Amino acid sequence: MQRIIDAVLDSGWLWLLARVCLAVVFVSSGLAKLIDFEGGLTDMRQAGLEPAWLFNIATAMTLLAASLLILLDRAVWLGAGALSVFLILTIVIVHRFWGLEGESAKLALFFALEHVSVIGGLIATAIASHLRRWRESDGPDHSKALWLK
């Protein structure tokens, strides 16, 4: 049974599925900001970001470009880092639970905590990408792995 689990965890199709699952929320948000441009402008204005058109385009491009890096398994560390910074900024600018009261504060806190969890997934994805590349280039000799020492 362990051999089957190892084979599935090591498979390219599961690695692709994991990256697609992680990126879907960012791709859909980026596309929504372009498809419903007026809605994106409204979101930016509600967050106090002006000029709204510039922030909407920058946000959409960041979400889509960073997601593309993750989906293509190229510079995953950069895509994950950009999306992590985006999420941190979203917490600070939009989900300011510390400045709200009642149900609004509770909802903002839940979004902030969700963003922190996604940041953890992004970090794990960057680590997994790095280790997969390292394994492919150095072979099965795990004695070189710093994380094992």
Side-chain angles (χ1 to χ4, degrees), residues 4-55:
I4 294 170
I5 293 169
D6 289 344
V8 169
L9 291 175
D10 201 35
S11 68
W13 66 265
L14 187 62
W15 176 228
L16 175 61
L17 179 62
R19 295 188 333 266
V20 167
C21 288
L22 182 62
V24 73
V25 69
F26 299 109
V27 171
S28 61
S29 180
L31 289 175
K33 289 183 181 349
L34 296 177
I35 294 168
D36 179 16
F37 199 78
E38 286 302 318
L41 293 179
T42 300
D43 290 344
M44 297 303 145
R45 287 183 186 116
Q46 285 176 345
L49 300 172
E50 291 291 344
W53 66 268
L54 179 62
F55 279 98

Side-chain angles (χ1 to χ4, degrees), residues 80-99:
L83 292 173
S84 295
V85 169
F86 171 80
L87 289 173
I88 291 167
L89 290 173
T90 302
I91 292 169
V92 172
I93 295 168
V94 179
H95 304 300
R96 301 175 43 167
F97 59 89
W98 57 90

